[in-house]
């Protein structure tokens, strides 16, 4: 069982690594093509049907790029499709959600202080909400509201704010933030898989059949691609938020989540305006900084309980019966609770790292695997061994976890 815990930790690392790699590829291509599209110029030398062109220099060479709004009058022998980056980003993200939050639902997904439901119900709510996000968004885009970019974004912002609040009424604060990322990323990936790529395939099929492609398919794909561009930065924030309790473990976490969307839109608006050569709207940075200061102020509100300090999970109940438990808990209380407490006393630490609070026996048992990995199998905790945890104490934590995991 303990060997499985180590394997699971490495599996989580491998999936997270894959997720970051594919996300970099997807975000990079998204940013590049939006910047390219906005920077296109019309010149007298453009070939028939071409919409614009741009010269770029990179890697010691020059690139001459031309865009066709509908399609060229012939089909090139080779086409590069930009789709696998988005597909594998979403797939790896979903696997990570399963590995960390579904299999660790008792600790990371369900907060008994918020909503006391079985893990399987929380998982179903998680899956249902992610699907619901795409259904609502796609319906909006295809409705009359979809004809107005501004109107659509305002309605979408209202939906995202409502979902941020709803998630905090069901899950842990950490899971609520993560689900905002999954909710939004699913919309983005589904845009690629369900709209952008199919529309492009229709255009290619028309060219092969000798038909003139309809321009509406390119227009729709461009709109969805632009939406993805504006949603990217908030998704990155939500993916990183699990490391910062001030973002997810405060009373106003759902407001913070909604304000992050405004920051992301403002930042992208600045760069998109510059790429389109329409000026430098520096006011966007001033407003973004003001909103971020507001977020920091909101985070100073009351902290949310972790849900791990009063109700033991089934595995935690077994671990509490181990003959090593009393001694292991004493080690944690002696070496770890200077920081991992509701009110840290270690200088320079104002919040419990990742909101992991180990003030009680139940909390220690609930976090047993994390404790064993961080302070037993590895020497990650305490940082720099500032509390002088001994090798015998680390061995004790491992022995306790092994005993209770058989």
């Amino acid at each position: 069982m303990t060997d499985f815990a180590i394997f699971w930790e490495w599996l989580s690392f491998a999936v997270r690594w894959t997720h970051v790699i594919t996300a970099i590829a997807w975000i990079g291509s998204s940013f590049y093509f939006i910047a390219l599209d906005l920077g296109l110029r019309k010149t007298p030398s453009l070939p028939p049907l071409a919409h614009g062109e741009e010269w770029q220099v990179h890697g010691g060479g020059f690139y001459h790029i031309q865009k066709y709004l509908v399609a060229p009058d012939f089909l090139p022998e080779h086409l590069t499709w930009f789709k696998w980056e988005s597909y594998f980003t979403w797939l790896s993200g979903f696997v990570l959600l399963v590995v960390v939050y579904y299999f660790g639902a008792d600790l990371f997904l369900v907060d008994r202080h918020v909503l006391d439901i079985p893990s399987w119900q929380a998982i179903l709510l998680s899956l249902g909400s992610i699907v619901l996000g795409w259904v609502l968004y796609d319906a909006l885009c295809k409705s009359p509201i979809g004809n107005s970019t501004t109107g659509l974004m305002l309605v979408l912002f209202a939906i995202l704010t409502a979902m941020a609040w709803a998630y905090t009424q069901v899950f842990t604060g950490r899971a609520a933030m993560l689900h905002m990322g999954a909710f939004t990323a699913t919309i983005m990936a589904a845009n690629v898989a369900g709209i952008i790529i199919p529309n492009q395939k229709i255009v290619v099929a028309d060219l092969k059949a000798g038909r003139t492609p309809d321009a509406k398919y390119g227009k729709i794909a461009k709109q969805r691609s632009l939406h993805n561009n504006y949603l990217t930065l908030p998704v990155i924030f939500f993916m990183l938020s699990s490391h910062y309790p001030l973002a997810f473990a405060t009373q106003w976490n759902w407001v913070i989540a909604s304000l992050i969307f405004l920051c992301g839109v403002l930042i992208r608006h600045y760069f998109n305006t510059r790429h389109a050569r329409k000026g430098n709207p520096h006011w966007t940075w001033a407003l973004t900084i003001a909103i971020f200061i507001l977020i920091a102020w909101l985070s100073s509100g009351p902290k949310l309980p972790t849900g791990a300090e009063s109700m033991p999970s089934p595995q935690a109940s077994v671990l509490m019966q181990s003959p090593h438990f009393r001694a292991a808990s004493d080690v944690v209380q002696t070496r770890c609770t200077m920081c991992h407490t509701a009110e840290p006393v270690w200088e320079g630490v104002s919040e419990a790292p990742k909101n992991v609070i180990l003030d009680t026996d139940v909390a220690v048992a609930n976090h047993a695997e994390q404790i064993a990995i961080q302070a037993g199998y590895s020497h990650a905790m305490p940082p720099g061994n500032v509390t002088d945890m001994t090798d015998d104490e680390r061995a004790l934590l491992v022995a306790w976890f092994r005993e209770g995991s058989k």
Side-chain angles (χ1 to χ4, degrees):
M1 184 69 182
T2 53
D3 291 338
F4 179 77
I6 294 174
F7 164 78
W8 200 255
E9 189 75 7
W10 276 107
L11 174 64
S12 173
F13 191 175
V15 175
R16 193 182 302 273
W17 190 21
T18 302
H19 185 53
V20 170
I21 292 170
T22 54
I24 290 172
W26 184 17
I27 293 168
S29 63
S30 172
F31 282 6
Y32 171 74
F33 278 105
I34 291 296
L36 172 63
D37 193 66
L38 292 171
L40 291 171
R41 296 186 178 187
K42 295 183 182 293
T43 62
S45 60
L46 281 175
L49 304 180
H51 171 68
E53 67 178 0
E54 188 168 32
W55 284 87
Q56 299 181 352
V57 59
H58 180 74
F62 294 87
Y63 297 82
H64 183 203
I65 303 161
Q66 297 174 339
K67 178 179 179 178
Y68 295 79
L69 279 182
V70 180
D73 54 7
F74 66 95
L75 183 66
E77 292 184 6
H78 176 71
L79 284 173
T80 300
W81 294 79
F82 290 86
K83 57 182 179 178
W84 297 112
E85 303 94 333
S86 63
Y87 296 170
F88 280 105
T89 298
W90 189 89
L91 287 171
S92 59
F94 181 74
V95 173
L96 193 60
L97 176 65
V98 172
V99 169
V100 176
Y101 287 89
Y102 290 178
F103 279 91
D106 285 335
L107 185 59
F108 297 122
L109 185 62
V110 177
D111 187 338
R112 311 295 178 187
H113 292 84
V114 175
L115 187 64
D116 191 3
I117 57 175
S119 295
W120 65 269
Q121 287 185 13
I123 293 170
L124 287 180
L125 287 172
S126 168
L127 291 169
S129 68
I130 291 172
V131 174
L132 176 66
W134 164 248
V135 172
L136 289 176
Y137 165 79
D138 189 51
L140 278 172
C141 288
K142 294 176 179 177
S143 73
I145 296 175
N147 296 325
S148 169
T149 300
T150 302
L152 177 61
M153 293 302 288
L154 288 174
V155 175
L156 180 60
F157 176 71
I159 292 174
L160 292 169
T161 300
M163 286 305 304
W165 176 83
Y167 277 136
T168 61
Q169 306 306 302
V170 178
F171 302 135
T172 65
R174 177 177 172 179
M177 282 288 190
L178 188 281
H179 274 77
M180 284 304 299
F183 183 93
T184 310
T186 298
I187 290 174
M188 296 168 63
N191 269 339
V192 177
I195 300 297
I196 297 172
I197 295 300
N199 282 12
Q200 290 176 340
K201 287 184 175 181
I202 291 173
V203 172
V204 170
D206 284 341
L207 282 173
K208 287 182 177 179
R211 298 186 296 266
T212 300
D214 192 329
K216 71 176 183 180
Y217 296 110
K219 182 180 179 181
I220 293 171
K222 181 180 178 180
Q223 182 193 49
R224 300 297 183 100
S225 182
L226 186 61
H227 292 170
N228 282 4
N229 180 262
Y230 277 105
L231 293 173
T232 299
L233 296 183
V235 170
I236 296 174
F237 177 91
F238 295 132
M239 295 302 109
L240 296 175
S241 65
S242 63
H243 299 281
Y244 298 93
L246 284 175
F248 69 78
T250 60
Q251 179 182 1
W252 301 110
N253 49 9
W254 65 275
V255 179
I256 291 173
S258 65
L259 292 176
I260 285 300
F261 281 101
L262 297 182
C263 289
V265 168
L266 287 168
I267 294 171
R268 287 313 307 163
H269 178 70
Y270 172 80
F271 284 105
N272 290 344
T273 302
R274 284 203 62 191
H275 293 150
R277 302 182 182 91
K278 294 182 178 179
N280 296 306
H282 297 298
W283 61 267
T284 58
W285 289 109
L287 188 52
T288 299
I289 292 171
I291 293 174
F292 205 78
I293 292 173
L294 174 61
I295 287 172
W297 177 75
L298 288 171
S299 71
S300 65
K303 304 300 177 289
L304 300 177
T306 66
E309 67 275 5
S310 60
M311 301 180 185
S313 67
Q315 184 182 8
S317 298
V318 175
L319 286 161
M320 293 179 75
Q321 302 305 314
S322 165
H324 297 292
F325 174 66
R326 185 68 273 146
S329 183
D330 288 344
V331 169
V332 173
Q333 298 298 329
T334 302
R335 306 298 186 186
C336 306
T337 53
M338 294 79 169
C339 299
H340 289 281
T341 183
E343 297 182 3
V345 296
W346 193 270
E347 185 178 357
V349 178
S350 58
E351 305 290 335
K354 292 192 176 183
N355 203 37
V356 175
I357 296 175
L358 304 174
D359 283 341
T360 67
D361 285 348
V362 172
V364 171
N366 279 338
H367 288 286
E369 183 173 333
Q370 290 177 295
I371 292 170
I373 294 293
Q374 296 284 338
Y377 292 106
S378 76
H379 291 187
M381 292 291 165
N385 201 20
V386 292
T387 57
D388 297 319
M389 183 178 287
T390 67
D391 289 341
D392 288 341
E393 288 172 333
R394 295 184 190 278
L396 172 64
L397 295 177
V398 172
W400 165 55
F401 180 63
R402 283 177 172 171
E403 178 70 26
S405 300
K406 290 180 179 178

